[in-house]
Structures are given as structure tokens and as C-alpha cells.
Amino acid sequence: MNRKLKNSELDRKSVDEFLSAKKTPIIVVLDNIRSLNNIGSVFRTADAFLVEAVYLCGICAQPPNKEITKTALGATESVTWEYFEDTLIAVEQLKSLGYTIASIEQAERAVMLDDFVPEPNAKLAVIFGNEVKGVQQKVVNASDIVLEIPQIGTKHSFNIAVSAGIVLWDVYAKMKAL
């Protein structure tokens, strides 16, 4: 029998330990995400993979917010975040800091996520777009690479929180293996 572990047995970091820990060199950029539940879910996933920060851009709501907090389950206290009125300003700042900019989108010449291999010691910013319109074209244009999550069913896209989980797990695992 496989007994489920209690939360106290999971050996998770405290918020202070999280804040002082060496981070995974990934910054998540949210480009005009309208759903507060999606934003909270992304914070929770960012915490799980010890990412450096979440950048909230455009119409994204910001903590403290009851709906974000409800879904994030405290991750807004552990994960560093910044707000930018315009996603392109965030992208320009990240480029100046040496980040490779990757829009998660369906586009011409997109690289399938399963084919993507991050450069050793790379710093990566992954941009997730609006639930209806995706990543803005001007942001896609400013990106170094476009990554697409392979899909083989009838639907055209994943929910943004699901996309973040898939991409962050994949990139985290690949970076860890380098």
C-alpha cells in the first residue's frame, strides 16, 4: 500500500528559505492575463519550480488580491513579482539583463517544446499571453524564440495556467539535466 504523505512530511521550504534559495534562471512574463485564477495558478507553479520572478504586464491584476491569493495559496509571498504597464518594457529590461526571450505561442517557425533545448547556463524569460488573443504580435516579434506546446487533439490551445505548468516543468527538467 502507498500511504499518502502528510504536508509536514514533504520537506518544503519556508518562505524565508525560498527567498534565500538559489533560483531556477527563469522569469515568467504574463502578457495581459485577465483571469485572476490563472494569475494565482501561475504564481503557485512558479513557486513549485523555484523561478526567479513573475512579471505581470498590462491588464494583469496584482497582489494583494483575494482571487489571486485564493488560487496562489501563499505563493505571492514567496515568488518575487513586478508589474509593467507594457510587456515590451519588461522584454527590453530582460534582454538587457541577458535573458533569452521565449514567447509561448503558435507561430510560423515556432520550435516545438519537446525539441527545445536550453543553452547551458542560460537565463530564460517565458511569455504567456492573454486567454483569448495570446501573446501580442509585437511581443512575439521582440522574442528570440517562439515555443509551441505540441497538441494532437481537436482544441487549438491550453488554458494559460496549464500551459505554464507544462512549459515550466519541461524547461526546469531540461535545465536540471544540463
Side-chain angles (χ1 to χ4, degrees), residues 119-139:
E119 295 292 322
N121 303 312
K123 298 188 300 185
L124 186 66
V126 290
I127 304 173
F128 299 93
N130 177 273
E131 294 88 344
V132 175
K133 298 178 181 178
V135 178
Q136 298 174 77
Q137 184 64 56
K138 66 182 183 177
V139 175

Side-chain angles (χ1 to χ4, degrees), residues 7-140:
N7 285 349
S8 61
E9 297 175 286
L10 296 177
D11 194 32
R12 297 295 193 254
K13 292 175 178 16
S14 68
V15 171
D16 288 338
E17 290 169 330
F18 183 100
L19 292 171
S20 64
K22 184 177 192 281
K23 304 295 187 292
T24 306
I26 299 171
I27 291 184
V28 175
V29 179
L30 300 182
D31 180 25
N32 291 299
I33 304 302
R34 63 189 166 119
S35 165
L36 285 73
N37 290 323
N38 281 335
I39 294 168
S41 292
V42 170
F43 267 96
R44 194 165 161 191
T45 302
D47 176 279
F49 296 113
L50 207 62
V51 304
E52 290 182 5
V54 172
Y55 285 8
L56 304 167
C57 303
I59 66 168
C60 289
Q62 302 149 56
N65 180 293
K66 182 180 174 184
E67 290 302 310
I68 293 172
T69 302
K70 181 173 76 173
T71 311
L73 294 178
T76 56
E77 302 303 316
S78 56
V79 177
T80 299
W81 64 273
E82 287 186 51
Y83 174 75
F84 294 83
E85 277 189 41
D86 188 327
T87 308
L88 279 180
I89 295 170
V91 167
E92 289 168 12
Q93 176 181 311
L94 289 163
K95 281 187 175 195
S96 74
L97 295 171
Y99 284 83
T100 298
I101 310 300
S103 284
I104 311 305
E105 189 56 86
Q106 297 159 334
E108 295 173 342
R109 297 182 301 282
V111 174
M112 290 298 163
L113 182 61
D114 52 336
D115 293 328
F116 173 68
V117 179
E119 295 292 322
N121 303 312
K123 298 188 300 185
L124 186 66
V126 290
I127 304 173
F128 299 93
N130 177 273
E131 294 88 344
V132 175
K133 298 178 181 178
V135 178
Q136 298 174 77
Q137 184 64 56
K138 66 182 183 177
V139 175
V140 170

